[in-house]
Amino acid sequence: MLKYIYDFSEGNMNMRSLLGGKGANLAEMTNIGLPVPPGFTVTTEACNRYLEDDELWPELIEEIKLHIGNIERITGKHFSDETNPLLFSVRSGAVISMPGMMDTILNLGLNDQAVIGLSNSTQNSRFAYDSYRRFIQMFGDVAMGIPKSLFEYHLDQRKEKKGVANDTDLETEDLKLLVEDYKALYKEQLGEDFPQDPFQQLFQAIKAVFRSWNNPRANVYRMLHGIDHSLGTAVNVQTMAFGNSGNKSGTGVAFSRDPSTGDNALYGEYLINAQGEDVVAGIRTPQKIATLKEIMPTVYQQFVDSVNILENHYKDMQDIEFTIENEKLYILQCRNGKRTALAAVNVAVDLVNEGLISKEEAILRVEPESLDQLLHPTFDPKGLEEAKVLANGLPASPGAATGAVYFTAQDAKQAVENGEKVILVRQETSPEDIEGMVVAEGILTARGGMTSHAAVVARGMGKCCVAGCSDIRVDESSKVIRTMHDEIHEGEQISINGSTGKVYFGQIKKQQAELTGNFKLFMDWADELRRVKVRTNADTPKDAKQGFEFGAEGIGLCRTEHMFFDENRIMIVRSMILAEDMEKRKEALDKILPLQRKDFYGIFKAMQGRPVTIRLLDPPLHEFLPVKDKDIQEVADLLHVQMQDLKDIIRDLHEVNPMMGHRGCRLGVTYPEIYRMQTRAIMEAALQIVAEGETVQPEIMIPLIGDLKELEYCKGEMYDEIVSVFEEKGMQIPFNIGTMIEIPRAALLADEIATQADFFSFGTNDLTQMTFGFSRDDSGKFIHHYQEKGILNTSPFEKLDQKGVGKLVKMAVELGRKANPNIHLGVCGEHGGEPSSVDFFSRIGLDYVSCSPYRVPIARLSAAQSAVREKMEKK
Amino acid sequence: MLKYIYDFSEGNMNMRSLLGGKGANLAEMTNIGLPVPPGFTVTTEACNRYLEDDELWPELIEEIKLHIGNIERITGKHFSDETNPLLFSVRSGAVISMPGMMDTILNLGLNDQAVIGLSNSTQNSRFAYDSYRRFIQMFGDVAMGIPKSLFEYHLDQRKEKKGVANDTDLETEDLKLLVEDYKALYKEQLGEDFPQDPFQQLFQAIKAVFRSWNNPRANVYRMLHGIDHSLGTAVNVQTMAFGNSGNKSGTGVAFSRDPSTGDNALYGEYLINAQGEDVVAGIRTPQKIATLKEIMPTVYQQFVDSVNILENHYKDMQDIEFTIENEKLYILQCRNGKRTALAAVNVAVDLVNEGLISKEEAILRVEPESLDQLLHPTFDPKGLEEAKVLANGLPASPGAATGAVYFTAQDAKQAVENGEKVILVRQETSPEDIEGMVVAEGILTARGGMTSHAAVVARGMGKCCVAGCSDIRVDESSKVIRTMHDEIHEGEQISINGSTGKVYFGQIKKQQAELTGNFKLFMDWADELRRVKVRTNADTPKDAKQGFEFGAEGIGLCRTEHMFFDENRIMIVRSMILAEDMEKRKEALDKILPLQRKDFYGIFKAMQGRPVTIRLLDPPLHEFLPVKDKDIQEVADLLHVQMQDLKDIIRDLHEVNPMMGHRGCRLGVTYPEIYRMQTRAIMEAALQIVAEGETVQPEIMIPLIGDLKELEYCKGEMYDEIVSVFEEKGMQIPFNIGTMIEIPRAALLADEIATQADFFSFGTNDLTQMTFGFSRDDSGKFIHHYQEKGILNTSPFEKLDQKGVGKLVKMAVELGRKANPNIHLGVCGEHGGEPSSVDFFSRIGLDYVSCSPYRVPIARLSAAQSAVREKMEKK
């Protein structure tokens, strides 16, 4: 005969498909010797048979009765007992948890006798009758389908009659009357008495769980998530334990280690003579777990032992719910405990040191994104408690910053020169604000999403930023921030938290990050385990140094255009762009050459011989041009041209879709002299490093390649220039020339392009824009609708779209390697520092990822996790 | 012993790799019995051996002498003969013709004796000495490497001494002196006498041809085009024939049929006692070929016979060069004759009727693009001769138009209402100009390329357009066109030719197209042969009718947004866009519904039951919004909102990259009520047609799909609406719902999308934009640099980029068919009417192409050609 019921002691963790997730977990805890309230699981197979037969069959009923009998023997409690009644909770438990399944029924077994028993055993008759009326309501509603509102109607009537407002104001006698009301309602609705027989209650409850498998919400959920309809749900029937049955009882929650710091010491709290709700409600103040030792030393020791068993079994810090009923300890639930990043790292390292887990396991225990908490300064928790929130925005770039608000780059610079700390506040930022962003402690914008200019640049700088803060209006002309109720004027202090998006009034104290001790050890393990290299994106020696400190193994993207925005250079750049002919353009380029050479020299120096990938000029030229009349006039004066002529030129440079316009290597094709100048600056700087006896690995990257011939043309020009530099200096060094792969066509034709490229660097930002046809600047207008309607789970600019964009990347990797087995492959888009994307890049065989300095540790850990998981899957 | 030399009589057309293209052709003509001047070909194998040995080997020299001997026997002419000297032309002839190869050397064999012979035989001593001095120069320069400038110096000296300016002013005696100058120069430069021995001349010339195979230009060309360096070149040595050797000699050019009309009558002209240059130079007036019959009846008959042989052999109208030397006819060259589209169609049909070629062959004889000439009105040739060109622009949309210039849509409409014919002249057009474009005879713009708004819309309308006419400046405020020298004011007449890009002063008479007779027959054959269906893009009943007349088998793209620009509707549309909430938006949509229904009804009606694919709203909403203050004020008044508030809303709707912004099905997701209204309008119109007892095949197309869930969401909304319509009307009809495939991601994930799509229509315009990352509006700024530098051959917006974009299309076809074998596949981008692209679409198995009405016949022919070629390749 098929076995349809398993006592908790008969199952284990691996029987999920038969017992469901919850049942398997209860069985596991029981079997490792934990004091779990006894019970049994009705299997998913029973569910499937019931859904076919539409009734419970005699053998099953016998089997249920048999198990109830066992539990009565074990617990000494009995159904309908007037001193110590046996009561159960009944819960659904499918293999995969899903919404729409039946709610829990508690206190099953209560009837007119048992309620007396409960009153006696808990010495709390109000609690007993309140439990009874709740049980009738739960059973009537959940199992028998009586509308909840009808029960609520009776409850309201009862309160009205007594002239009170709250449920808690009803006393035992009121609740007794309410029980009678509910029983009458039950009969009126169903034409039969509320069942006094606990077995009848149980059979009805089990059938209700089974039926809930087929309710419409669960059906739709399974359809949407491709879950097999034939899995069925199990039913868990478990003895109730009462922490409120007197002063020898209690309930609590504890962590096996400190979830804030990771310290290996029991951490938690409990209440005597209380139920779970009482701890949560916060009416009584719970006691520290350590004090239990004095009150109930045996129970305390038993709890400590249970915690140790659990940690040893699950090999991780546990979050444990427990109840004590008359000095008997019950473990109701345990799971891996939530913790801060600091605790996560410390616990992982300690567990390795304690010999409980391997380094590989430790690596998987820390959420890579959480490391961010450890890298940035944070607000002092005490200060934060007292702070008042001004507004909420998007957590665009993590960290904490405090300063006086200023509304223009110019004003911000001035204030910093005067010794102030500054928060730059803008409607949204543009390249012209760069200098203000550089000097500011943090940036706050009212518009723009997680991938807006402000957000991207701030993350690149490792600078705190709250973007898209739609709660505020930034009035740049009056120099004031307005919210519904408040105004903040220029010079007033605010604090912003780029990790949460919160903006606060006034100053808040900060605490610095530390990168030593367990953190360092943990990251060293990650480095041992990962295959994929991690580089940093860095445009300045300062960023390069920061990335280096965070463990970057090179620079994967050095954007040269940011160097062009410097106040001292922008005029030269503008005269280069507006030059009438090639000769004048070369004149301007000659002035830029020594400046760029100096930039590159500094960056090479900072990276101490590691590879440095420099991307040649990428953005559309018009981005460098002045917008305001005042600035246009200034340029016109400098260039000795008429204001109107200059305006005409600027208008001609305007583009309808600049993202897909005259930029990237298209500039290299139309104005080869620009790429030649940059190539010369790079090679001259590199030779200077070598002349000083140090090493250097320059890699020159051509952006926006879409065709082999583009690459050949640009390379031809660059080789010419490099040969000249080598001849002039009388020495030569190895170098690489490669391409960004960021145009879909380049990915499709990667086999051709690979024949002429030493490396590919996937620019997944632009590749995502073009593969989706989503402008990063504009998609904010509709992308939230997509998320609300379930069309997109996450923005593809945050997590790589592995299915679509990833397919292109994978294709390019395969085509590229086939055509050029020596090609070096990396990624330098924002995705290079996002864990799920790094996992993908690691699996498809990229050689490195590159990300902004502050994400380097996150990428290192993600890459290690990917390697460990892949190794585990292969086993 | 390897045979290195083939007499013309020994070779044939199929020996190109050994004899080169020219040698094989001369052999073929010789062998089909044409009187070709005798000669021989030195093979490519000889070339390769020479390039290895670096000298001519004795056996080869013997072989050459042997063949010269043969020719002396055949012709009765001899080297160095003082009465009738044997002279040769020496030409290179590779398998594939390429630049950089050695120029022709004429009159080889001339020396101090032969020049006398030439003088005697031609009875023209000036000609003889002029030929001699030219031969020395050619031989010295081309074969021996003496700088041309040195020869020119002597020629100039000679003219100066005589005091004349032109070469033709030098007389025989002067030329004799010049010959002596040249011989002295030759000796001075090379240290040896100019070779008097014709054999020495010949050996040097042959070696020079061989060496030219390895000159740098040819080498680079082969490298760039992937031509095998080991192919080598052949050398053709051919007897000279002299049409200027008296009154029994002559030269001419003839077509076997009339190249303008295709009439089957010999067509051409000749000059007695003349050389080829004389015909071209135009100093003497040539005679009609028919008159030769009277002067030299035998020769004439021989020529007619030759022409017949040629036509029968090549089975096409021939363009023939001939020379008569002392009543002996020589055919020097023949090739398929260039012809007008009219002639091409007539010749092809006639050749089939004459039994010379099959229908399949006939189909391949007409260049599809050339049909355009037959579909549009053209300028009367006589009128054109007298017209004066004002400026040159791009031939953006074919046809001819004459009218008075007006500078705004409003003015144009007014003028048309006053009975004028109008050319709308704009700096560039925008959607707001649509109404002006509709009423105008033609459109002229100063800015914008072949794919600018003006060009695309005009082609869609089949309306003549000259775009990007940078020769003019359009001063819209003063209402004047300015060129360097002229001004055209409002109301003055101009004529524009959209097939050539030329703009003329004043009016020119036009002639209409005819679509009957041979043209109809020819197109019927094309329809029999093609597999791919051809539909038309049409947004109005008028366009639909035009497409239908041109043979469209349905509508492949009906853009609904153009209906929104109508003056009477734009205000409703604007109030829909600017609606504060869904209710107000629905109110506006309810007003648009009956208008759209009427549009669809008209289009269904025009297509008489053929399938009609209607694309739901696609462009970004802000395109519909007013730009000018005056218009904004008008909308503000209508909507009872403040001007400034409206401006704010419009600014919010502005996008950085609108092409990749909030448009297409993204509107359908954010404002589902818009797509519901359109769906309702379509189905109500369709049911109305059915209620009238006619048939209808509505197909609804969702633009810009990038993910299956987007499609599912939009379809869900549309189904809801369709079910409501069916219920309300109490009847239902079959319909299809499909998607555009124009986002790279949609192509990559076509297998998923196909599960929910009845059809795919490839939007290759947008797909090209996103696959290349080329904004169509902006790429004009750099794409010509790409063409100049050889990076791109043609704009990918004109001819489909088969390698990149085509790879995506092919991938989507395969994935789509695999997932949904019943899926119907088509293309509705501009490429649907471009021959090379249609060929590609046919080969990868699309079911149909769709293009603007005037390109339907071109697509029909292209599809037929593709089918024929594919059939031939399979044989």
Side-chain angles (χ1 to χ4, degrees), chain A residues 128-180:
Chain A
Y129 281 93
D130 194 42
S131 298
Y132 191 20
R133 73 98 187 163
R134 281 175 197 270
F135 170 60
I136 299 170
Q137 174 174 343
M138 229 183 297
F139 183 85
D141 158 27
V142 173
M144 307 307 290
I146 301 169
K148 208 175 190 167
S149 56
L150 298 178
F151 290 102
E152 277 162 5
Y153 168 78
H154 284 284
L155 176 61
D156 290 343
Q157 289 290 99
R158 206 36 78 189
K159 285 191 284 186
E160 205 169 293
K161 269 185 198 150
K162 197 175 165 73
V164 297
N166 299 318
D167 295 4
T168 48
D169 294 333
L170 293 177
E171 292 167 71
T172 307
E173 290 312 307
D174 305 316
L175 293 167
K176 280 184 180 168
L177 291 170
L178 191 57
V179 163
E180 294 310 313

Side-chain angles (χ1 to χ4, degrees), chain A residues 69-257:
Chain A
N70 281 342
I71 290 173
E72 286 183 323
R73 264 193 303 283
I74 295 166
T75 59
K77 296 182 179 180
H78 299 278
F79 268 156
S80 310
D81 188 26
E82 293 196 4
T83 56
N84 196 9
L86 181 62
L87 300 179
F88 286 104
S89 67
V90 176
R91 291 182 171 92
S92 68
V95 180
I96 296 153
S97 84
M98 63 183 71
M101 296 296 294
M102 198 194 80
D103 288 341
T104 301
I105 297 180
L106 295 175
N107 296 325
L108 185 137
L110 276 179
N111 55 19
D112 296 349
Q113 288 86 55
V115 70
I116 296 165
L118 185 59
S119 175
N120 289 333
S121 70
T122 60
Q123 299 181 313
N124 187 337
S125 64
R126 189 193 177 285
F127 167 75
Y129 281 93
D130 194 42
S131 298
Y132 191 20
R133 73 98 187 163
R134 281 175 197 270
F135 170 60
I136 299 170
Q137 174 174 343
M138 229 183 297
F139 183 85
D141 158 27
V142 173
M144 307 307 290
I146 301 169
K148 208 175 190 167
S149 56
L150 298 178
F151 290 102
E152 277 162 5
Y153 168 78
H154 284 284
L155 176 61
D156 290 343
Q157 289 290 99
R158 206 36 78 189
K159 285 191 284 186
E160 205 169 293
K161 269 185 198 150
K162 197 175 165 73
V164 297
N166 299 318
D167 295 4
T168 48
D169 294 333
L170 293 177
E171 292 167 71
T172 307
E173 290 312 307
D174 305 316
L175 293 167
K176 280 184 180 168
L177 291 170
L178 191 57
V179 163
E180 294 310 313
D181 294 342
Y182 278 10
K183 286 199 282 196
L185 169 67
Y186 188 98
K187 179 152 194 187
E188 174 197 315
Q189 285 290 314
L190 302 179
E192 59 185 35
D193 284 325
F194 170 76
Q196 290 290 323
D197 176 2
F199 281 107
Q200 287 311 313
Q201 294 173 359
L202 183 58
F203 299 150
Q204 290 296 352
I206 289 171
K207 287 196 284 185
V209 171
F210 286 160
R211 282 196 304 270
S212 75
W213 177 254
N214 270 342
N215 83 18
R217 228 177 114 204
N219 260 321
V220 166
Y221 183 88
R222 288 198 295 276
M223 208 169 58
L224 284 175
H225 293 80
I227 299 170
D228 190 347
H229 289 296
S230 73
L231 291 179
T233 181
V235 185
N236 298 297
V237 179
Q238 186 176 24
T239 319
M240 296 287 297
F242 294 97
N244 55 345
S245 54
N247 286 330
K248 300 282 179 193
S249 300
T251 191
V253 176
F255 289 83
S256 58
R257 301 178 189 227

Side-chain angles (χ1 to χ4, degrees), chain A residues 669 710 745 786 789 801, chain B residues 669 710 745 786 789 801:
Chain A
V669 169
E710 264 176 330
R745 193 171 188 274
Y786 271 60
K789 293 184 177 178
D801 159 47
Chain B
V669 169
E710 262 177 331
R745 193 171 189 274
Y786 272 59
K789 293 184 177 178
D801 159 48

Side-chain angles (χ1 to χ4, degrees), chain A residues 215-375:
Chain A
N215 83 18
R217 228 177 114 204
N219 260 321
V220 166
Y221 183 88
R222 288 198 295 276
M223 208 169 58
L224 284 175
H225 293 80
I227 299 170
D228 190 347
H229 289 296
S230 73
L231 291 179
T233 181
V235 185
N236 298 297
V237 179
Q238 186 176 24
T239 319
M240 296 287 297
F242 294 97
N244 55 345
S245 54
N247 286 330
K248 300 282 179 193
S249 300
T251 191
V253 176
F255 289 83
S256 58
R257 301 178 189 227
D258 186 326
S260 303
T261 63
D263 286 354
N264 189 359
L266 199 58
Y267 178 99
E269 45 194 28
Y270 70 101
L271 275 173
I272 287 295
N273 196 13
Q275 281 207 310
E277 299 100 275
D278 302 323
V279 183
V280 180
I283 296 165
R284 292 164 58 193
T285 305
Q287 308 219 249
K288 287 231 151 40
I289 191 79
T291 62
L292 186 64
K293 194 172 181 177
E294 277 131 59
I295 304 173
M296 299 187 218
T298 321
V299 170
Y300 180 76
Q301 190 53 47
Q302 204 186 346
F303 182 65
V304 169
D305 293 345
S306 296
V307 168
N308 287 337
I309 290 170
L310 279 168
E311 262 215 358
N312 281 310
H313 188 70
Y314 289 107
K315 295 177 179 169
D316 200 358
M317 187 247 275
Q318 295 297 303
D319 171 355
I320 303 149
E321 288 176 26
F322 65 95
T323 284
I324 305 162
E325 184 180 316
N326 287 320
E327 295 206 313
K328 170 136 184 56
L329 173 73
Y330 291 107
I331 305 293
L332 301 182
Q333 196 174 347
C334 80
R335 56 187 168 200
N336 294 337
K338 288 221 165 68
R339 66 204 81 177
T340 63
L342 180 64
V345 170
N346 285 334
V347 167
V349 171
D350 288 349
L351 290 173
V352 172
N353 291 338
E354 292 162 24
L356 273 175
I357 60 173
S358 66
K359 288 177 188 175
E360 281 85 353
E361 287 170 301
I363 284 304
L364 295 178
R365 289 293 167 80
V366 180
E367 180 57 47
E369 285 285 359
S370 74
L371 290 187
D372 215 31
Q373 296 171 22
L374 303 180
L375 308 177

Side-chain angles (χ1 to χ4, degrees), chain A residues 11-31:
Chain A
N12 65 53
M13 253 339 238
N14 303 318
M15 294 169 75
R16 289 175 67 96
S17 69
L18 192 64
L19 305 180
K22 200 174 284 157
N25 193 41
L26 286 165
E28 185 79 10
M29 289 204 292
T30 303
N31 280 306

Side-chain angles (χ1 to χ4, degrees), chain B residues 847-858:
Chain B
D847 297 306
Y848 69 92
V849 298
S850 187
C851 53
S852 53
Y854 276 85
R855 296 199 75 83
V856 166
I858 296 168

